[in-house]
Amino acid sequence: MLHRMKLRVLYGHHLAGDRTARRLKMRVIFLSGLAVYLPFLVITYYIFMETRVFFLTLIGLLASFVSVPVALYAYAKGFGRPLAEIWRERPDEMKWFSFKIGFLYAFALYWMILGIVEFLFGYHAFRAALISFVAAAVARDGFEIGYLRAREEKNKRTIFPDGRPIGELFWPRKRSGHPHTAPGWNLSLILMAVLIGGAAGALLGPVLENSLHQTLAVGTVVGLMATLAYVWFLPSLPQIVQLVRFFIWPGLTMACTYFLILAYLLRIIFQAPLSPAADLAILTAACSGWMTLESLFLGYLKRESGFSEKPLQSGATPTAV
């Protein structure tokens, strides 16, 4: 879900300044949800009382396949040109977009939603109703990526939304202006976060039995580490308001999201027979490493690329729905 963090933290101001595009995005999200109503109705009917791992996974795969055309439709609307034209110009990019944003992202969201309703709302009815969130999230991100891609250089890219792979954080090359930018430093910070997160989880596991309390505790611990990781590369410490804003989103929010995904997979799908301390230690450590890696990368991009708050030059106009 790194692309979502990039869209919000690094590029959010571009779309925020375009009122017409914002209104169109909301229409695209609404129509996307309406278009997949019937297939999602069938999917949620079968998931309502389903508990078997194989069928839960199969239903998630079906929901992800349904989300692929949603992503492509939203991308074309944000880009401002017919999908057929975009596909002819950059077929490899669009195939990767379909797989990464339409399928993989939707599949991850599916497990997050099951985690929410399983651990936070008490199962069944909420679980079925909230599956529709998958299509809405895919449409939102597809539109925003298309909007940005239409206003950038026309070279083909396979990493969305900006062509910057996270492996760039570990490339052995010179980086000026920061004393601790060697790949070894970054790896050390991630490992340190994993150890701290694991220790915190081991301590909290026997104490916190309620899943909601576990989610909030892990979100707070990991969110704080993610915020520190983000400011690591920045030339100066941001204002307190900006730090609090980053802590809330993506720090706390995405940490809770990752926890719910991993907790559902570990506890329900794999049914790992672990003690409370080991269970929460593994989940907190995994969330810590995941969020620290992505937050370091966000801070690195913010510094190295010199992101501007000026609007992007318009290369296309989002098309009416």
Side-chain angles (χ1 to χ4, degrees):
M1 296 182 184
L2 178 60
H3 76 276
R4 182 66 218 155
M5 296 167 67
K6 286 184 181 180
L7 286 169
R8 178 92 173 255
V9 175
L10 302 179
Y11 302 105
H13 57 279
H14 296 306
L15 187 61
D18 191 334
R19 191 173 180 181
T20 301
R22 290 203 318 271
R23 288 199 299 265
L24 178 58
K25 182 178 76 169
M26 297 307 298
R27 290 202 296 271
V28 167
I29 293 173
F30 173 76
L31 290 177
S32 297
L34 192 63
V36 300
Y37 175 75
L38 286 178
F40 268 72
L41 183 64
V42 174
I43 292 170
T44 54
Y45 171 79
Y46 283 107
I47 198 177
F48 185 79
M49 297 296 290
E50 187 57 73
T51 58
R52 291 167 294 181
V53 170
F54 173 79
F55 288 101
L56 284 176
T57 305
L58 181 61
I59 292 165
L61 292 173
L62 291 174
S64 301
F65 277 118
V66 171
S67 298
V68 171
V70 170
L72 292 170
Y73 162 75
Y75 182 97
K77 291 302 178 183
F79 199 99
R81 292 173 56 193
L83 177 61
E85 292 183 9
I86 302 173
W87 194 286
R88 281 197 301 269
E89 287 184 2
R90 50 190 84 189
D92 292 338
E93 178 182 346
M94 296 313 298
K95 289 174 185 176
W96 179 238
F97 172 82
S98 301
F99 179 67
K100 184 177 187 297
I101 306 300
F103 184 81
L104 288 182
Y105 180 50
F107 197 53
L109 290 173
Y110 169 79
W111 297 115
M112 178 201 73
I113 290 168
L114 293 191
I116 290 175
V117 297
E118 180 92 14
F119 300 132
L120 305 185
F121 289 121
Y123 210 55
H124 293 325
F126 282 105
R127 180 171 72 171
L130 288 178
I131 293 297
S132 59
F133 173 80
V134 173
V138 168
R140 175 200 62 199
D141 291 6
F143 182 93
E144 293 181 9
I145 291 171
Y147 178 88
L148 290 170
R149 290 292 289 116
R151 287 153 178 79
E152 295 175 339
E153 314 88 85
K154 301 303 180 185
N155 57 309
K156 293 181 180 179
R157 299 180 179 184
T158 56
I159 303 295
F160 298 99
D162 56 6
R164 305 292 294 270
I166 199 166
E168 189 175 335
L169 193 63
F170 302 99
W171 290 350
R173 63 176 187 177
K174 284 187 176 182
R175 300 182 181 92
S176 61
H178 196 282
H180 306 306
T181 53
W185 268 102
N186 301 329
L187 184 59
S188 298
L189 289 172
I190 295 168
L191 291 176
M192 187 184 304
V194 170
L195 293 175
I196 294 174
L203 291 173
L204 293 173
V207 178
L208 300 177
E209 297 181 359
N210 184 281
S211 296
L212 175 60
H213 297 162
Q214 291 179 353
T215 304
L216 292 176
V218 172
T220 301
V221 171
V222 177
L224 287 171
M225 289 193 287
T227 304
L228 293 174
Y230 173 67
V231 302
W232 177 256
F233 282 111
L234 301 184
S236 60
L237 190 66
Q239 296 179 349
I240 187 65
V241 174
Q242 294 174 311
L243 287 175
V244 172
R245 187 178 300 156
F246 187 91
F247 168 73
I248 295 174
W249 202 107
L252 173 66
T253 307
M254 293 302 292
C256 291
T257 297
Y258 292 161
F259 173 78
L260 290 170
I261 293 173
L262 295 174
Y264 194 87
L265 292 174
L266 181 68
R267 297 171 179 176
I268 306 301
I269 300 302
F270 298 114
Q271 298 181 0
L274 300 171
S275 67
D279 174 271
L280 202 60
I282 291 173
L283 293 174
T284 309
C287 291
S288 299
W290 194 351
M291 275 299 296
T292 301
L293 171 62
E294 293 186 338
S295 299
L296 280 172
F297 190 47
L298 287 177
Y300 162 73
L301 289 178
K302 189 84 170 179
R303 179 185 181 88
E304 295 292 313
S305 302
F307 281 94
S308 171
E309 298 295 323
K310 296 179 181 179
L312 291 168
Q313 295 296 320
S314 180
T317 302
T319 53
V321 178

